[in-house]
Amino acid sequence: MTDQGDSGRTRKLMEEFAPTTFEERGVTVPFTTPLLSQARLRRDANERFEFLLPNFTAGKGTYVLPWKGLPNVMTLTLHDRLLFEEIEKLETHSPEQIRSCALTVQATGVCGPDAATRAVSLLDQDSQYLVLTQFILVTELLKLVNISAADLMRPGMTADDSKRVARQALAKVAAMVDIPPDDMTGRVDQLGEAVAPVGLPQAPKSGRLRTLADRLQAFAQGTQHFAETDPSDAAMLGTYVSTVANHTLTLARQRIGKLDAACRDARQIVNDAPKLHKSIQEFVARISWLLDGWEFLIAMWESVKSEPSASKQTAISDISRLLPMIPKEEISAATESLDLDAIQRLQKKWVRVNQDWRTGVLDMDAVMRLESLKAAMG
Amino acid sequence: MNDKKPAAPGSPASKTSDWAALGADIMRLPDRKLLQIYRLLEQVGDKPEVSDAFGAMRPRLTTLRPPRRPALSRLFFLPAEDMLDDVGHYSRRLNRICRTTLSPCWQAVREHIPAALMQEVNQEVALVDYRDGAAIAVLVEPLWQAGAEALDRVMAECQNNLKYKISLFGRDDDVQRQLGTLRQILTVAFRIEKLKAALPPRPILDLAESHVEIIRTALIDLGKEDASLTQPLLLVLASRMQRPGELLRMLGEVRLGGTVAEKETLTREMSGYVVGNLLRQTSDFDRENLQVQGDPASLAAAAERLTDGLNSVNDTVQGLRDKDITAKMKNARAEIGHFVLKNICADVDKELTSALFGHDGALPSDEDVKKAEQLALALRRSSKLAGPLGIQREVTAKINEARQQVVDNTLAALRNTPRNRDGSMGADAQRQMFNGLRMVEILSGSDEAERLFREWNAQFR
């Protein structure tokens, strides 16, 4: 059996088992039970929930378990029990919806005060950013009737004056396509909600997913630097991680570019809002799926930035096992130059031998480490 | 264990106490100021007096872990850093080294190391990241090699010239043993530092398969050269591990060079060191000294570390069939058990209740909640140790007591906190409920926390 043969077989296996779609890959759920950390949720053929558990076998494959089976295998934190209850109430399970659920549960304080404070602040930032996005959309529309943002904020104008001018101007825009002014406001609200996770390119502050893409770029650079300088064989895992990160980043940036192009012409809001809304939703959903799971990995890497190389080696090994697999339809030649067999062997080598899940008792220190990462996630 | 402490070397008493007093004064400063003064003191250089100030600051520095400028003397002793004990904790005949020995030792050794070499190492080290252990090992290796030879000369001179020895180290013959240990370590200093750089930071808790492989390879390679060279490497490694018993097991499985008898001797000596070192640390526990002061969480972590260590050497101790060591192990467990009950469990329930509920009905701050979490965690850690330490009944009773107090106080808070107009639980009440549930989860597990959540939610929704 040659190395090349093994590699070829592993690649074939990876292609065989790579998810076809993002839905098949499953959405990452930020559980705090260590063995469930970064578990991916999806529905099985009978529409029942099942979880893909990358941490369960510590590098020797991914376990798929139905939700009902989990409590028999491990003790779940109260946070995870409550989060799952919230998830069960959802009709669809996109990364955005799971995030919103997770933040709502986290904000209760069930996983500690830092994580709660962070969740409250993130929910607040989301709503502020939505207002900002909707405001920018309004100003873009007003440009169609030759009113600028400066016209709404002239010296001596009160907030009510500004609102009145904006309403009058929006009514003019609505009249262009012969719809009631309130309908135009409704369109702006809807489009704003759809685009806010990524944000508009002209916004003074980047949207959440756009910022995450920037952080992913820094992460890819950091792990590449690690790969180039670390003397141990974990360096190869660094190359693997940074390659997948760069690949994901390229795809995410392509989608962000397309989204920005779609949002560029405000006349579409007037002329064909439903079509624009649909394409924005599709682009944002794709970007969100692409970046799903990366925020946790970035937080993990950032948490060892100033640590000794041994901590970085362990972290890169953990990260390499949790990498979000890019579905078949998105797989490009980027990973083909890697010796996937060697990567798998290395992943197993860096697994800690003293981890024991069989007792079923929660390791509260490990839970708290995950909670502190939750508190550090943007 | 600590039968007699070596006398402090050299420098005038008044001067030493001035610096130590300065160190003690600095301890009262906030973290930021302390680190500022620490950096200034580092620039003063390798003066024995300054090391007194550092000695006084060490407990805080251990927590703050400021980046350290790699002074030449520090680099020289780096491979032995895990073998060093403060004067109050030093035990003889255990292959340990007392910190008071370092300053006169460096003073003597540097006389025999070429100045050009020291200068070269100093300059090269200044160009690399001091946290890059592997790079530091490469650059400092010539210093360790020269230092080992220099130390030979110093030791020989001490043997032949009593005046020389007394002027450096005083009359205590134990110093000669310490220098011998240091000499052994310097011989394999490069391998030690390379190994340290490849392993997790101390205390090493979990070893990956790759780490086990690295240790095995290092031992086999050294053993091929000379089996006795593995001893200093093992000493350092055992001192860095939380469960040194695992290293002893590994040693039993590795085929080193040399005869079977040599391997048996090495295993016996290492077992003696590992057990002795754990007992030494345990004996520090019963003393009323600064080292065991701290918050309950870190005290519990220290107790856990030692109990873990003692548990890991159980098989080895049984294999030794030494009644004396077996009795000492039993005593050590009893001492840790006593320590846990006295320092962690005694008032933990009251402190926890006060942190979480002692605010006249107002919500606790995040800091208070975190403090309560740490107290609950300390108790939980203690419960993990209770079995091996024979204090299960007392710890279980304390956990039940603490849990009941949290439940009673949370219920009282839920009853007293105003509800929303629709009768549902207000935001403050919800937060108080989740604070309480979190403590119950830490103390009694998630099932109990979920049961209470359902009960309270139904009662107060």
Side-chain angles (χ1 to χ4, degrees):
Chain A
M1 201 183 290
T2 63
D3 274 350
Q4 206 178 3
D6 282 347
S7 250
R9 200 177 348 272
T10 309
R11 189 170 303 126
K12 197 160 179 294
L13 279 172
M14 280 192 71
E15 279 171 11
E16 229 169 87
F17 290 105
T20 309
T21 60
F22 282 114
E23 284 79 4
E24 194 184 327
R25 180 178 82 174
V27 55
T28 313
V29 186
F31 287 128
T32 56
T33 305
L35 288 172
L36 275 185
S37 172
Q38 296 301 288
R40 288 186 171 272
L41 169 78
R42 67 179 187 194
R43 285 188 188 272
D44 67 10
N46 298 316
E47 286 296 296
R48 285 173 306 206
F49 286 119
E50 65 180 15
F51 284 97
L52 291 89
L53 311 179
N55 264 334
F56 198 65
T57 55
K60 289 163 190 143
T62 297
Y63 245 75
V64 183
L65 274 179
W67 168 254
K68 281 187 178 167
L70 284 179
N72 299 328
V73 183
M74 65 187 88
T75 306
L76 305 174
T77 59
L78 180 59
H79 165 269
D80 292 358
R81 298 170 198 214
L82 300 185
L83 176 55
F84 189 74
E85 272 181 20
E86 290 300 309
I87 289 172
E88 269 185 314
K89 290 178 197 161
L90 296 173
E91 283 176 14
T92 53
H93 299 90
S94 69
E96 291 301 302
Q97 286 167 314
I98 296 290
R99 176 178 178 273
S100 165
C101 258
L103 288 180
T104 308
V105 173
Q106 194 176 321
T108 61
V110 70
C111 55
D114 286 344
T117 307
R118 185 74 186 137
V120 171
S121 144
L122 287 175
L123 288 168
D124 188 44
Q125 279 175 31
D126 283 356
S127 63
Q128 282 182 26
Y129 200 79
L130 175 61
V131 173
L132 174 70
T133 308
Q134 286 167 339
F135 177 76
I136 293 170
L137 283 173
V138 169
T139 57
E140 289 299 314
L141 282 174
L142 297 189
K143 282 182 196 164
L144 298 176
V145 287
N146 297 322
I147 291 186
S148 68
D151 294 326
L152 300 179
M153 291 176 280
R154 289 195 186 289
M157 277 175 92
T158 64
D160 284 341
D161 293 338
S162 300
K163 275 185 197 165
R164 186 175 41 75
V165 174
R167 262 200 307 272
Q168 286 168 353
L170 267 185
K172 272 191 200 171
V173 178
M176 286 164 67
V177 281
D178 204 19
I179 59 167
D182 282 352
D183 283 9
M184 187 54 73
T185 315
R187 284 181 183 187
V188 169
D189 287 351
Q190 262 194 345
L191 291 173
E193 271 173 34
V195 81
V198 179
L200 293 161
Q202 64 269 49
K205 192 181 153 206
S206 289
R208 181 168 47 80
L209 292 173
R210 203 181 288 267
T211 307
L212 182 56
D214 292 341
R215 288 176 67 204
L216 183 59
Q217 184 177 10
F219 169 85
Q221 285 164 351
T223 48
Q224 181 58 39
H225 180 256
F226 168 83
E228 285 162 4
T229 52
D230 187 79
S232 75
D233 48 11
M236 192 175 179
L237 295 177
T239 306
Y240 171 52
V241 169
S242 88
T243 304
V244 179
N246 272 318
H247 188 186
T248 308
L249 187 64
T250 307
L251 294 171
R253 287 259 157 89
Q254 280 170 6
R255 301 302 192 286
I256 291 174
K258 285 181 182 172
L259 174 71
D260 290 349
C263 296
R264 198 164 292 141
D265 187 359
R267 274 172 302 192
Q268 283 189 86
I269 304 175
V270 180
N271 296 328
D272 200 352
K275 189 179 162 202
L276 177 64
H277 185 243
K278 193 168 171 257
S279 59
I280 288 177
Q281 272 185 321
E282 279 171 8
F283 284 131
V284 172
R286 187 53 74 104
I287 294 162
S288 169
W289 275 106
L290 270 167
L291 297 176
D292 179 41
W294 281 101
E295 192 164 13
F296 181 84
L297 304 185
I298 293 170
M300 259 173 103
W301 184 246
E302 284 173 353
S303 73
V304 296
K305 215 152 70 179
S306 316
E307 296 290 316
S309 49
S311 307
K312 288 191 183 121
Q313 289 157 0
T314 309
I316 205 81
S317 158
D318 290 342
I319 289 170
S320 76
R321 280 197 300 276
L322 297 171
L323 283 185
M325 281 177 77
I326 301 172
K328 266 184 205 166
E329 58 184 351
E330 303 274 356
I331 287 176
S332 76
T335 52
E336 280 176 13
S337 57
L338 295 167
D339 182 349
L340 296 171
D341 255 350
I343 287 164
Q344 256 190 350
R345 278 198 302 274
L346 281 173
Q347 284 175 331
K348 285 179 200 166
K349 264 182 74 177
W350 285 89
V351 172
R352 290 178 213 88
V353 289
N354 289 318
Q355 281 180 347
D356 188 0
W357 53 270
R358 281 162 295 195
T359 56
V361 177
L362 262 184
D363 176 354
M364 278 313 288
D365 289 316
V367 171
M368 286 186 157
R369 276 196 295 277
L370 288 171
E371 289 171 352
S372 70
L373 285 176
K374 259 168 138 23
M377 278 160 66
Chain B
M1 290 290 297
N2 306 48
D3 40 13
K4 197 179 166 192
K5 309 297 164 220
S11 59
S14 60
K15 218 174 174 185
T16 302
S17 66
D18 284 350
W19 282 95
L22 174 67
D25 287 343
I26 294 169
M27 290 288 279
R28 286 193 281 272
L29 296 173
D31 291 350
R32 196 174 53 82
K33 281 275 168 215
L34 182 128
L35 288 174
Q36 251 176 5
I37 293 180
Y38 169 76
R39 279 189 281 275
L40 289 172
L41 278 176
E42 273 215 325
Q43 287 166 21
V44 176
D46 300 327
K47 300 265 193 304
E49 302 90 334
V50 179
S51 70
D52 290 328
F54 283 143
M57 292 162 73
R58 190 163 292 115
R60 283 273 294 281
L61 294 175
T62 310
T63 321
L64 295 170
R65 298 182 68 185
R68 308 183 83 184
R69 182 180 66 90
L72 209 55
S73 61
R74 191 171 291 149
L75 290 170
F76 181 72
F77 294 115
L78 193 63
E81 66 178 353
D82 300 289
M83 308 299 295
L84 304 180
D85 291 326
D86 289 340
V87 67
H89 298 269
Y90 172 74
S91 297
R92 290 154 185 271
R93 292 184 290 276
L94 202 57
N95 286 311
R96 305 284 302 173
I97 301 165
C98 182
R99 282 185 196 278
T100 53
T101 306
L102 302 187
S103 181
C105 174
W106 175 242
Q107 195 187 321
V109 161
R110 65 182 300 167
E111 298 294 321
H112 300 281
I113 301 175
L117 172 69
M118 290 197 283
Q119 199 183 349
E120 193 187 325
V121 171
N122 231 346
Q123 282 167 352
E124 284 180 344
V125 164
L127 302 175
V128 299
D129 182 350
Y130 64 92
R131 289 166 300 187
D132 186 347
I136 291 283
V138 173
L139 298 178
V140 189
E141 191 190 6
L143 179 71
W144 292 323
Q145 278 176 358
E149 286 168 25
L151 191 54
D152 276 342
R153 288 192 209 160
V154 172
M155 288 169 74
E157 185 68 19
C158 282
Q159 288 278 12
N160 301 329
N161 184 345
L162 188 62
K163 203 173 159 193
Y164 175 79
K165 189 200 142 199
I166 292 173
S167 70
L168 279 172
F169 303 107
R171 291 181 180 277
D172 193 348
D173 285 337
D174 181 67
V175 170
Q176 201 75 357
R177 257 200 303 265
Q178 296 178 45
L179 297 181
T181 302
L182 182 61
R183 170 70 178 84
Q184 278 188 311
I185 290 173
L186 286 173
T187 312
V188 290
F190 175 69
R191 320 274 187 112
I192 288 174
E193 285 307 306
K194 227 175 98 182
L195 190 60
K196 276 160 64 177
L199 296 176
R202 65 173 174 185
I204 301 173
L205 185 60
D206 296 317
L207 287 174
E209 205 181 297
S210 60
H211 299 138
V212 175
E213 216 174 279
I214 290 168
I215 296 172
R216 276 179 203 276
T217 310
L219 286 176
I220 291 168
D221 288 352
L222 262 182
K224 275 183 197 158
E225 285 173 38
D226 178 353
S228 69
L229 291 178
T230 56
Q231 192 184 16
L233 187 115
L234 285 164
L235 284 173
V236 170
L237 204 50
S239 308
R240 292 179 76 80
M241 289 180 69
Q242 173 150 331
R243 290 186 279 261
E246 282 168 16
L247 186 66
L248 296 180
R249 265 199 293 278
M250 205 189 296
L251 179 61
E253 293 160 8
V254 174
R255 285 172 73 95
L256 298 172
T259 63
V260 176
E262 278 174 340
K263 169 90 180 278
E264 271 176 16
T265 309
L266 177 66
T267 309
R268 204 169 41 249
E269 282 176 8
M270 276 309 298
S271 304
Y273 168 74
V274 165
V275 175
N277 193 31
L278 281 167
L279 294 175
R280 174 189 68 84
Q281 292 171 59
T282 311
S283 74
D284 287 342
F285 253 50
D286 63 354
R287 283 189 238 151
E288 299 293 333
N289 60 37
L290 283 171
Q291 293 298 310
V292 293
Q293 283 181 6
D295 58 287
S298 45
L299 294 181
E304 189 179 29
R305 185 174 53 76
L306 281 177
T307 311
D308 219 8
L310 288 174
N311 291 343
S312 78
V313 295
N314 256 347
D315 292 349
T316 311
V317 167
Q318 278 173 8
L320 289 175
R321 294 202 179 106
D322 184 325
K323 280 185 184 169
D324 187 38
I325 290 190
T326 309
K328 279 181 180 168
M329 288 274 287
K330 202 176 160 193
N331 283 343
R333 284 208 166 89
E335 274 172 19
I336 301 175
H338 175 69
F339 172 86
V340 168
L341 290 178
K342 190 176 127 196
N343 294 292
I344 301 166
C345 295
D347 293 323
V348 73
D349 51 334
K350 291 185 197 90
E351 285 180 52
L352 198 157
T353 309
S354 150
L356 213 54
F357 304 101
H359 309 277
D360 294 327
L363 275 176
S365 67
D366 284 1
E367 287 314 308
D368 284 323
V369 177
K370 280 191 250 181
K371 187 183 168 195
E373 275 178 1
Q374 290 305 311
L375 291 161
L377 271 176
L379 208 44
R380 185 174 168 123
R381 272 183 201 280
S382 306
S383 80
K384 270 176 30 189
L385 311 178
L389 299 180
I391 51 170
Q392 207 149 25
R393 197 172 45 82
E394 294 91 329
V395 176
T396 306
K398 186 51 86 172
I399 285 181
N400 287 338
E401 221 170 293
R403 189 197 73 91
Q404 196 53 50
Q405 285 182 33
V406 169
V407 170
D408 292 346
N409 280 290
T410 307
L411 270 172
L414 290 177
R415 282 194 196 103
N416 296 333
T417 314
R419 295 190 184 200
N420 293 330
R421 280 186 184 171
D422 62 1
S424 62
M425 210 185 279
D428 278 8
Q430 263 214 11
R431 195 58 186 267
Q432 196 69 272
M433 175 178 79
F434 278 108
N435 286 342
L437 288 170
R438 187 156 171 78
M439 298 312 140
V440 172
E441 182 170 32
I442 296 173
L443 290 168
S444 308
S446 310
D447 289 346
E448 175 65 356
E450 187 186 356
R451 187 188 68 74
L452 285 168
F453 169 74
R454 309 262 172 238
E455 195 179 299
W456 292 344
N457 227 14
Q459 200 177 337
F460 296 98
R461 75 180 161 198

